[in-house]
Amino acid sequence: MLRAVKYSQSLCWPRLGARLVLAGLVGSLLFLPSARAQSGFVITGSEGVPVLSYRLDFRGIRGRLDRYRLKIPPQNVAVAEVQIKADSNFDAVIDPKNVRLEAEGKPVELAEVYWNEEFRSLEVVARQPIAAGQEIRLVLSNVRNPSAAGIYRVEARVRGTEPNPLFRKVGNWLITIDDPERLTF
């Protein structure tokens, strides 16, 4: 009888430990601002496709206006055009008049900006190519966030200046949109 009690108590400790670890993980995601920061904790992704860094200036609340700052890492070719393509369920509204492209923090003059709402695609053409090796930032102002909370995959592609240039996939932004009615502690 005494042996059975000891055995059952030893089974309880691993379960209790697992519960404490899980509670600590959930608690840190809810309470610590650094743990809730966007583009930090990634649950999903594709092998071999980098997850790109981004920032939403106004907390990414569903249905509200926001400013997206989408980073593209330095490329090994000069970049003439940047294209982003979102999931079909990404029903955000992008204002092409409020799109800015920056290279190393300095504004780049644009030749054309085209937002295709049907295909969820944004094309940004620079007047002069951006030199290779520079960090690029795409700034989208007055974006109406998607109507539903969730994580949306937005693909980044660039077109170089070489003869017969093709778009190259750079990576994905996993953009988190929150629900203001969500209970937080």
Side-chain angles (χ1 to χ4, degrees):
M1 181 95 166
L2 185 60
R3 186 173 194 173
V5 171
K6 282 186 179 178
Y7 182 70
S8 65
Q9 285 178 348
S10 68
L11 285 178
C12 291
W13 284 110
R15 287 185 191 157
L16 179 61
R19 288 180 184 162
L20 288 174
V21 168
L22 184 59
L25 177 63
V26 171
S28 68
L29 289 175
L30 291 175
F31 296 113
L32 296 177
S34 62
R36 291 183 56 185
Q38 296 162 345
S39 78
F41 185 71
V42 178
I43 297 173
T44 62
S46 301
E47 187 174 325
V49 179
V51 175
L52 303 176
S53 180
Y54 74 96
R55 188 177 89 206
L56 303 180
D57 285 354
F58 304 109
R59 297 182 39 216
I61 304 295
R62 69 175 174 86
R64 294 191 185 162
L65 288 177
D66 217 323
R67 181 178 303 118
Y68 291 40
R69 297 178 187 272
L70 309 172
K71 290 184 184 177
I72 297 173
Q75 301 297 302
N76 59 0
V77 297
V79 174
E81 184 176 347
V82 174
Q83 181 185 54
I84 65 172
K85 174 117 178 56
D87 291 333
S88 60
N89 59 348
F90 184 76
D91 62 347
V93 179
I94 295 175
D95 181 2
K97 294 177 189 146
N98 287 302
V99 171
R100 191 172 75 232
L101 195 60
E102 299 174 352
E104 297 294 326
K106 297 177 183 167
V108 173
E109 193 174 338
L110 302 179
E112 184 180 5
V113 177
Y114 180 69
W115 167 241
N116 186 327
E117 193 167 349
E118 180 183 358
F119 293 111
R120 302 272 160 240
S121 171
L122 177 72
E123 297 174 19
V124 181
V125 181
R127 190 165 305 282
Q128 295 293 323
I130 300 167
Q134 294 189 355
E135 183 177 274
I136 301 169
R137 181 178 298 147
L138 187 60
V139 181
L140 312 175
S141 297
N142 292 335
V143 176
R144 176 73 59 187
N145 285 330
S147 59
I151 298 174
Y152 295 92
R153 184 181 62 84
V154 179
E155 179 181 304
R157 301 183 335 159
V158 297
R159 186 173 57 85
T161 57
E162 64 273 9
N164 301 321
L166 297 173
F167 277 103
R168 303 165 190 230
K169 188 171 183 175
V170 176
N172 294 325
W173 294 286
L174 298 177
I175 297 178
T176 303
I177 301 298
D178 284 330
D179 190 352
E181 287 95 35
R182 185 183 73 178
L183 238 68
T184 56
F185 295 72

